[in-house]
Amino acid sequence: MNSQVVRRGFSVQQSDLMCKRGCGFYGNAVWQGLCSRCWRQENQCSRARQIEEDRALAERLQREEEAAYASSSREEERSRPESSKTHSTVPIVKRLFTSAPKTPARRDAGALKTAVSQSTSLSRDHVTQHFIDFLKTFQRPGYDIFKQCHAFVENIAHKKVSVAGEDFSDSVQDFYQNVSEYLQNNLKGSPDVMETVMDEVERYVMSRLYKQLFCPDHTDDEKKDLAIQKRIRALHWVSIAMLCAPVDEQIPKVSDSVERAITDLIDFDSKKVPKEKLACVTRCSKHIMTAVQGSMKAAASADDFLPTLVYIVLKANPPRLHSNIQYITRFCNPSRLMSGEDGYYFTNLCCAVAFIEKLDAQSLNLSHEDFELYMSGASSPSGPKAASSGHSSQNGFREPRRAEETDLIEWSDGQELSVLGLLEEPPVRTHTSNTFTIDSDNVDGDSLPPPLQPQKFPSLLDTD
């Protein structure tokens, strides 16, 4: 019964991981249970409705302003210059709600080619050089792809107006969509080739924009990173038995898989490309599956995998966990998150983090009092409970300790008195005997034992 209570918090069906709209792709808690495509569609619809409402409000306010202006006296209207009047009646609000193009304006192909060649010749970093070498095999389509990627990166990197992180995410996702459509229309190749090109596009764009897009200042990502890190640190006492994770770390191979999983989860903070971060999550998850299978000697299920993943997250406490999840969610190629093993394992990681944030006494089958004691550090599951009040703490722990201290002090005092008594006594005189040497004439030689004399013993061969 207790095992079922504990398991209840980890029981995840395949349907729980899918998009709520039933499109067949994986959902995400960050997108309110939707996949990235459905989330963007709903977001765009919401933004379109908001823009229409704002536009209607602006037009209504403009009409009221013009009506109020028309009702004023004609003399005041004539006294005002016509140019000033025309400028004041320009609907300024309309310009505020006019959506700017999401892609940079087209420039002359020759001028853009010269600008791109100059920029790449000045700063041929490893990422750019790798991207150029990769696209050379595609000839003209490869050049067009680099031109679009370079223009997009420059547009985002030199944006002087600070915008919200979600707007950056929309811009990046729209750019991915435009490149994907261009590849489908102009690059004749297999789906694997298309996917490889999109991976390289993501690598180039996100490597160049990593510092600007990862954990930006205008978001609360850093604050949430500290909160989840503090939360995991406070849960250091949670054992693998409390989570009912079927992992036996006494087995060397299982312990090695657990350590590898922890290392991969910590390592994903050092990567800059969303795909590379996802690869770390996938490797971590595969090590977890190996550990579970090595412990159970059978295939692992989702109910076995998720609690073990929670345990790995608690043990690793990876840096900037929230920022990394947000970075992948915002700027990863959406097709990689909607399906496949990367999307499945990433969705489980989001579920594990959400579970840790809401972890309570019932989830671990503990009493509320024990849970609070463990969280505060006043007690630990493996040791005696520390009492909350000072009086009970003294009665429970201080008295035996004081008795031991008293015995130690008395023994120390006794040793000190015995040492002082020895120091006060007169020194002990020792009598040394005379030294004898072999070569000297020794007067007292009579006291020495006689020297050994050689003796002859009859041989067994001698016969009478």
Side-chain angles (χ1 to χ4, degrees):
M1 183 66 181
N2 292 343
S3 177
Q4 294 179 357
V5 174
V6 178
R7 283 283 192 174
R8 189 179 303 146
F10 297 98
S11 180
V12 176
Q13 303 296 328
Q14 184 71 15
S15 58
D16 297 334
L17 304 178
M18 309 308 293
C19 178
K20 290 183 178 179
R21 286 190 176 181
C23 63
F25 297 117
Y26 290 120
N28 196 307
V30 179
W31 300 320
Q32 299 178 3
L34 302 176
C35 67
S36 61
R37 186 179 66 178
C38 295
W39 170 254
R40 293 187 66 232
Q41 290 177 354
E42 183 170 313
N43 234 13
Q44 289 175 354
C45 293
S46 300
R47 285 188 298 169
R49 288 195 299 267
Q50 186 65 37
I51 290 175
E52 289 298 327
E53 293 175 359
D54 293 339
R55 191 186 301 276
L57 177 62
E59 291 177 353
R60 182 173 62 84
L61 294 176
Q62 187 67 32
R63 288 194 299 268
E64 292 177 356
E65 181 182 356
E66 291 176 355
Y69 180 81
S71 63
S72 60
S73 61
R74 294 183 178 180
E75 295 181 358
E76 294 179 357
E77 184 178 1
R78 291 176 181 177
S79 64
R80 182 176 302 173
E82 188 68 21
S83 60
S84 176
K85 175 184 176 183
T86 306
H87 179 71
S88 63
T89 56
V90 172
I92 300 177
V93 238
K94 289 186 177 182
R95 294 200 300 269
L96 298 177
F97 295 103
T98 302
S99 58
K102 295 184 178 180
T103 56
R106 297 181 59 87
R107 295 184 293 178
D108 181 71
L112 183 58
K113 183 177 180 179
T114 303
V116 172
S117 61
Q118 289 177 354
S119 63
T120 53
S121 62
L122 291 176
S123 58
R124 285 290 182 91
D125 58 284
H126 174 72
V127 175
T128 303
Q129 187 62 51
H130 173 79
F131 191 49
I132 293 174
D133 294 340
F134 171 78
L135 293 176
K136 282 181 180 178
T137 58
F138 299 99
Q139 299 180 354
R140 181 65 189 181
Y143 167 74
D144 291 339
I145 292 173
F146 180 80
K147 181 178 64 176
Q148 295 177 26
C149 292
H150 177 79
F152 177 76
V153 168
E154 293 297 316
N155 182 44
I156 297 294
H158 298 92
K159 236 182 198 337
K160 297 182 179 179
V161 180
S162 177
V163 296
E166 293 299 332
D167 292 339
F168 274 134
S169 175
D170 292 339
S171 299
V172 172
Q173 297 297 335
D174 289 341
F175 176 74
Y176 288 157
Q177 183 66 27
N178 294 336
V179 174
S180 179
E181 293 176 356
Y182 174 83
L183 293 177
Q184 294 176 3
N185 297 329
N186 297 276
L187 187 62
K188 297 180 180 179
S190 63
D192 293 338
V193 175
M194 301 284 189
E195 183 178 357
T196 303
V197 175
M198 289 302 301
D199 290 342
E200 294 298 330
V201 168
E202 178 188 301
R203 181 189 303 275
Y204 172 75
V205 172
M206 300 314 300
S207 296
R208 295 287 303 275
L209 298 176
Y210 174 78
K211 293 183 178 180
Q212 184 172 356
L213 299 182
F214 184 85
C215 192
D217 296 335
H218 54 268
T219 63
D220 59 350
D221 291 348
E222 184 176 1
K223 179 180 179 181
K224 291 184 177 180
D225 283 334
L226 297 176
I228 187 64
Q229 188 177 41
K230 182 179 179 181
R231 172 74 172 175
I232 293 177
R233 191 180 295 117
L235 292 167
H236 69 279
W237 49 270
V238 177
S239 65
I240 198 167
M242 293 179 179
L243 298 172
C244 279
V247 173
D248 185 4
E249 293 187 89
Q250 300 299 323
I251 303 175
K253 291 184 178 180
V254 173
S255 177
D256 180 68
S257 297
V258 169
E259 293 298 329
R260 290 176 182 269
I262 293 174
T263 301
D264 286 329
L265 193 58
I266 294 175
D267 189 46
F268 90 136
D269 180 64
S270 63
K271 307 301 181 181
K272 293 184 178 181
V273 183
K275 179 191 173 184
E276 296 176 353
K277 292 181 179 293
L278 272 179
C280 292
V281 176
T282 300
R283 288 196 300 270
C284 167
S285 301
K286 289 184 176 180
H287 287 311
I288 291 176
M289 299 295 285
T290 302
V292 174
Q293 292 174 1
S295 302
M296 300 178 58
K297 308 299 181 183
S301 64
D303 290 339
D304 300 322
F305 169 73
L306 188 56
T308 310
L309 178 59
V310 172
Y311 174 73
I312 295 298
V313 174
L314 292 177
K315 292 283 288 185
N317 196 1
R320 302 190 292 186
L321 179 58
H322 175 81
S323 292
N324 280 286
I325 291 178
Q326 290 294 324
Y327 181 73
I328 294 173
T329 302
R330 293 167 181 165
F331 304 113
C332 183
N333 190 344
S335 62
R336 190 171 297 279
L337 297 182
M338 292 189 300
S339 60
E341 62 178 10
D342 289 343
Y344 174 78
Y345 290 133
F346 179 72
T347 303
N348 276 274
L349 177 62
C350 296
C351 292
V353 174
F355 179 84
I356 290 173
E357 292 176 337
K358 299 177 181 179
L359 189 65
D360 56 9
Q362 184 179 3
S363 303
L364 300 175
N365 197 27
L366 297 173
S367 65
H368 181 73
E369 293 76 11
D370 288 344
F371 183 81
E372 293 299 328
L373 284 174
Y374 299 158
M375 289 295 292
S376 63
S379 179
S380 62
S382 58
K385 298 179 183 178
S388 58
S389 63
H391 177 72
S392 59
S393 176
Q394 291 179 1
N395 292 338
F397 296 96
R398 296 301 179 187
E399 293 301 332
R401 187 173 179 180
R402 285 182 178 178
E404 295 174 359
E405 291 177 353
T406 303
D407 295 339
L408 181 62
I409 292 173
E410 291 178 355
W411 178 85
S412 177
D413 293 340
Q415 294 296 322
E416 183 177 357
L417 291 174
S418 62
V419 171
L420 292 176
L422 291 175
L423 292 177
E424 292 176 355
E425 292 179 359
V428 179
R429 297 183 179 272
T430 59
H431 299 278
T432 59
S433 60
N434 296 328
T435 304
F436 299 96
T437 58
I438 296 176
D439 297 332
S440 64
D441 295 334
N442 203 325
V443 180
D444 298 331
D446 296 338
S447 61
L448 294 176
L452 296 176
Q453 298 295 330
Q455 297 181 9
K456 182 179 180 180
F457 295 94
S459 175
L460 296 176
L461 298 177
D462 295 341
T463 56
D464 295 339

